[in-house]
């Protein structure tokens, strides 16, 4: 898809969906997103689409926005981890859309990585994650967005943000006004799949605005938004990845997971990530960086 590569199965077939959980090593309390080829297919899966969600769909589908709505009973429990709701999105990538159309069924698809690991943004990343298990990888080129979809729901009054992602909070707020962030008060349930540790490289990683390698740290990598970012003496680091040429958060999001993978392959003792501004796509980038660095 335009966000990350996914591992897809017929969303209406529990046995097919079970194979996704098995292959990923994913716990079954973590629900999947169901992908549809067109907007109208949403109503084959959910009981309602309230007005604010409808507005968001009108503006952002096809695109990196998943909506969580009360599900119809034909959606298997395994897809939703037994929740009364299901997350649905219509991806904006010709290959993904064509695949769903040809399949003739909605496709449940998590990111195509082993559980907890870095999400794949190229076909090669998927091959590395599943060297033997997968028969077919559809290569749609590098993902243009590079971070997963924004996941939103609705509590009857407010739109709730479950996961920051490819559609910015600013753009959503422009459409529907005030938004609640899930899990920040007792009334908004947090999203079950949003674990503290996620998207993680094997190399230990920390987020710090200023930290430089210490004397006893041999091989330290730096992950930073752009060259111009202070305070950094490049010679102090064994490897450096800049996420963008000029500080563009959009470019940084598209490069994030591939850059994390490259650093992870360098036998480093530590990766230091510089924080990025928490606006626009920076919110999703910081979400992924904090989970990647949680231990
Ligand atoms: O961009 C994306 O969304 C990618 C591509 C492949 O479409 N998919 C993706 O799926 O990121 P996955 O499985 O890695 O993340 C799905 C997350 C879950 O972990 C959970 O946080 C949230 O979506 N989710 C799914 N169903 C939910 C529900 N009923 N209520 C709340 N959150 C839900
Ligand atoms: Mg994932």
């Amino acid at each position: 898809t335009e966000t990350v590569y996914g591992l897809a199965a017929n969303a209406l077939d529990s046995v097919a969906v079970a194979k996704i959980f098995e292959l990923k090593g994913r716990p079954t309390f973590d629900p999947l997103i169901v992908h549809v080829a067109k907007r109208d297919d949403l109503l084959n899966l959910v009981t309602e689409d309230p007005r604010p969600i409808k507005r968001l769909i009108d503006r952002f589908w096809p695109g990196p926005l998943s909506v969580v709505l009360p599900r119809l009973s034909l959606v298997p429990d395994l897809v939703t981890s037994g929740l009364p709701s299901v997350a649905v999105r219509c991806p904006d990538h010709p290959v993904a859309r064509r695949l769903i159309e040809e399949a003739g069924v909605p496709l449940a698809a998590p990111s195509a990585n082993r559980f907890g690991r870095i999400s794949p943004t190229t076909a090669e990343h998927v091959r590395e994650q599943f060297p033997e298990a997968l028969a077919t990888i559809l290569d749609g080129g590098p993902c243009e967005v590079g971070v997963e979809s924004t996941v939103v729901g609705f509590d009857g009054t407010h739109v709730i943000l479950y996961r920051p992602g490819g559609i910015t909070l600013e753009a959503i707020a422009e459409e529907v006004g005030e938004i609640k962030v899930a899990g920040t008060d007792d009334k908004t349930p947090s999203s079950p799949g949003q674990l503290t540790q996620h998207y993680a490289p094997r190399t230990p990683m920390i987020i710090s605005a200023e930290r430089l390698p210490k004397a006893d740290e041999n091989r330290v990598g730096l992950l930073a938004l752009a060259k111009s970012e202070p305070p950094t003496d490049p010679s102090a680091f064994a490897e450096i990845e800049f996420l963008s040429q000029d500080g563009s958060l959009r470019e940084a999001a598209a490069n994030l997971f591939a850059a994390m993978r490259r650093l992870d392959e360098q036998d480093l003792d530590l990766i230091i990530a510089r924080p990025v501004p928490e606006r626009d796509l920076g919110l999703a980038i910081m979400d992924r960086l904090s989970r990647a660095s949680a231990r």
Side-chain angles (χ1 to χ4, degrees), residues 39-249:
R39 202 221 125 107
D40 290 351
D41 295 340
L42 172 70
L43 288 171
N44 300 327
L45 299 165
V46 304
T47 59
E48 56 180 283
D49 59 338
R51 184 182 296 246
I53 297 291
K54 221 184 207 141
R55 290 186 63 141
L56 294 178
I57 287 174
D58 284 343
R59 165 117 183 243
F60 299 115
W61 276 17
L65 179 79
S66 297
V67 299
V68 173
L69 292 169
R71 66 162 158 151
L72 287 168
S73 58
L74 93 168
V75 181
D77 278 331
L78 189 56
V79 170
T80 70
S81 305
L83 293 171
S85 58
V86 61
V88 184
R89 91 173 183 98
C90 179
D92 187 17
H93 191 294
V95 174
R97 298 262 292 290
R98 176 85 188 277
L99 175 67
I100 305 165
E101 276 163 15
E102 299 270 327
V105 289
L107 297 181
S111 49
N113 50 277
R114 292 189 190 279
F115 179 66
R117 297 282 154 209
I118 306 172
S119 306
T121 51
T122 67
E124 194 45 43
H125 294 163
V126 182
R127 208 165 284 121
E128 286 160 15
Q129 288 277 298
F130 302 101
E132 277 137 37
L134 290 178
T136 307
I137 301 172
L138 279 181
D139 189 343
C143 298
E144 276 184 15
V145 177
V147 291
E148 292 83 349
S149 60
T150 304
V151 182
V152 296
F154 183 63
D155 69 0
T157 316
H158 289 102
V159 169
I160 302 175
L161 176 74
Y162 287 114
R163 175 178 74 181
I167 298 290
T168 68
L169 208 53
E170 290 88 340
I172 294 173
E174 220 171 81
E175 216 47 53
V176 298
E178 197 199 337
I179 298 156
K180 277 194 187 165
V181 178
T184 52
D185 67 48
D186 345 323
K187 274 177 244 126
T188 55
S190 63
S191 186
Q194 282 297 77
L195 304 182
T196 315
Q197 194 196 343
H198 206 150
Y199 316 105
R202 287 167 203 283
T203 314
M205 184 166 135
I206 58 167
I207 304 177
S208 166
E210 280 156 33
R211 174 99 143 62
L212 290 169
K214 293 178 183 157
D216 63 338
E217 290 169 342
N218 282 322
R219 290 182 52 74
V220 178
L222 177 74
L223 184 67
L225 182 58
K227 237 182 211 132
S228 54
E229 292 280 289
T232 293
D233 169 14
S235 66
F237 293 91
E239 297 288 336
I240 300 180
E241 286 283 346
F242 293 115
L243 293 172
S244 75
Q245 290 293 321
D246 58 357
S248 152
L249 292 167

Side-chain angles (χ1 to χ4, degrees), residues 221-291:
L222 177 74
L223 184 67
L225 182 58
K227 237 182 211 132
S228 54
E229 292 280 289
T232 293
D233 169 14
S235 66
F237 293 91
E239 297 288 336
I240 300 180
E241 286 283 346
F242 293 115
L243 293 172
S244 75
Q245 290 293 321
D246 58 357
S248 152
L249 292 167
R250 189 158 290 279
E251 189 187 345
N255 290 327
L256 176 67
F257 289 137
M260 279 169 58
R261 271 167 199 278
R262 283 192 296 269
L263 288 175
D264 204 19
E265 282 159 10
Q266 303 299 323
D267 284 316
L268 300 167
D269 301 320
L270 178 69
I271 299 168
I272 298 175
R274 297 284 187 243
V276 306
E278 289 193 71
R279 60 173 159 77
D280 301 323
L281 282 171
L283 191 66
I285 295 172
M286 282 301 283
D287 172 78
R288 306 307 186 266
L289 288 178
S290 7
R291 291 177 206 280

